[in-house]
Amino acid sequence: MNEQIFGKVDQYISNLLAPEDQVLKDTIKSLDEEGFPQISVTANLGKFLQVMAVLSNAKKILELGTLAGYSTIWLARALPADGKLITLEVEQRHSDLARKNIGKAGLSDKVDFRVGKAMEILPQLIENGEGPFDLIFIDADKPPYAEYFEYALSLSRPGTVIICDNVIREGKILDENTSDEKVKGVQRFNKLLQSNKNVTATIIQTVGVKEHDGMAIAVVNRTDPS
Ligand SMILES: C[S@@+](CC[C@H](N)C(=O)[O-])C[C@H]1O[C@@H](n2cnc3c(N)ncnc32)[C@H](O)[C@@H]1O
């Protein structure tokens, strides 16, 4: 089996179940136009996030890492009329671009853009009582993934779904002696998932039109009412 087949099958699935409308296509194009990196989730993973939001009946979503708003659109489209999504982004220019794209998607009333370092905004969300969220998607810088996860837990309730992207990194997580800070960050996060007894979690490997990677999915355990 060669890697070409993964790309072709990914394309087959997205044609079948995750076709991009013009707004999503234009959002991807807007990254090239602004000279920003093409590091959004794929169409299939965008659809996967949407399925998770529907499955968890999400009314309140938190996203770390907005970029051009591509994953934001997939997620926000799963929200009911009174649903809300808060998305955090450190780069003002990324957030500005996302605001335009979300506007074109007709989702401005549902999406709340916060600009700044996630590490600084997350404690503010806790302090302001803006949680709990029904679904939290972590897709910002990788070194502090473990800390982001701890904050996500503080912003959760039993049943909250926490999804973290890029936790396999083409298998580089197998290298215990890595000096790559991104890999070290996700290794720490993956170990935390293993040891944290408050969540039921797994990691799904992802292959397709982008490089081999993985998404972690954790559900906060329902507490025993007795
Ligand atoms: C992989 S991209 C997000 C892609 C987006 N979720 C999507 O799939 O369409 C990561 C984003 O996180 C942002 N970011 C990096 N470090 C951050 C930080 N400390 N706090 C908040 N956002 C950060 C980057 O500027 C970038 O826009």
Side-chain angles (χ1 to χ4, degrees), residues 36 67 89-99 113-116:
F36 297 156
L67 191 59
E89 172 57 56
V90 73
E91 296 286 344
Q92 183 72 55
R93 290 176 65 214
H94 292 181
S95 189
D96 291 345
L97 177 63
R99 196 181 284 273
F113 299 88
R114 309 275 172 102
V115 181

Side-chain angles (χ1 to χ4, degrees), residues 29-223:
K29 215 163 77 187
S30 73
L31 285 166
D32 285 338
E33 286 162 1
E34 296 293 329
F36 297 156
Q38 285 292 353
I39 50 173
S40 314
V41 295
T42 60
N44 277 334
L45 289 176
K47 182 67 183 281
F48 173 77
L49 293 172
Q50 193 174 83
V51 170
M52 289 292 117
V54 173
L55 185 68
S56 57
N57 201 15
K59 276 194 170 180
K60 276 176 75 176
I61 297 176
L62 174 65
E63 176 180 66
L64 279 62
T66 316
L67 191 59
Y70 184 80
S71 54
T72 321
I73 294 173
W74 281 105
L75 283 165
R77 283 181 170 167
L79 287 169
D82 59 345
K84 284 276 171 240
L85 184 155
I86 298 177
T87 183
L88 317 186
E89 172 57 56
V90 73
E91 296 286 344
Q92 183 72 55
R93 290 176 65 214
H94 292 181
S95 189
D96 291 345
L97 177 63
R99 196 181 284 273
K100 279 192 212 156
N101 290 326
I102 298 293
K104 288 180 192 160
L107 294 164
S108 302
D109 56 332
K110 289 190 176 142
V111 181
D112 180 348
F113 299 88
R114 309 275 172 102
V115 181
K117 289 182 181 163
M119 214 55 136
E120 287 168 12
I121 303 172
L122 288 163
Q124 291 167 12
L125 295 177
I126 295 169
E127 212 178 293
N128 299 340
E130 295 187 73
F133 293 89
D134 305 310
L135 185 149
I136 301 174
F137 176 46
I138 301 177
D139 192 22
D141 50 330
K142 312 307 164 194
Y145 254 35
E147 287 73 20
Y148 290 161
F149 184 67
E150 297 281 15
Y151 277 120
L153 288 173
S154 301
L155 288 161
S156 296
R157 52 157 178 81
T160 293
V161 177
I162 303 173
I163 303 174
C164 307
D165 199 13
N166 311 120
V167 300
I168 294 299
R169 313 200 69 78
E170 295 175 296
K172 292 189 188 116
I173 37 87
L174 298 176
D175 180 3
E176 296 287 342
N177 301 314
T178 184
S179 55
D180 181 328
E181 292 302 325
K182 293 181 184 174
V183 176
K184 286 207 253 186
V186 297
Q187 283 173 332
R188 270 196 319 122
F189 163 76
N190 292 342
K191 286 208 175 107
L192 185 60
L193 262 196
Q194 178 195 31
S195 61
N196 192 308
K197 301 298 170 221
N198 296 323
V199 295
T200 302
T202 192
I203 297 171
I204 308 284
Q205 292 192 67
T206 55
V207 291
V209 291
K210 292 202 171 169
E211 64 279 0
H212 171 214
D213 214 318
M215 257 193 189
I217 301 129
V219 183
V220 179
N221 291 333
R222 294 184 189 278
T223 44

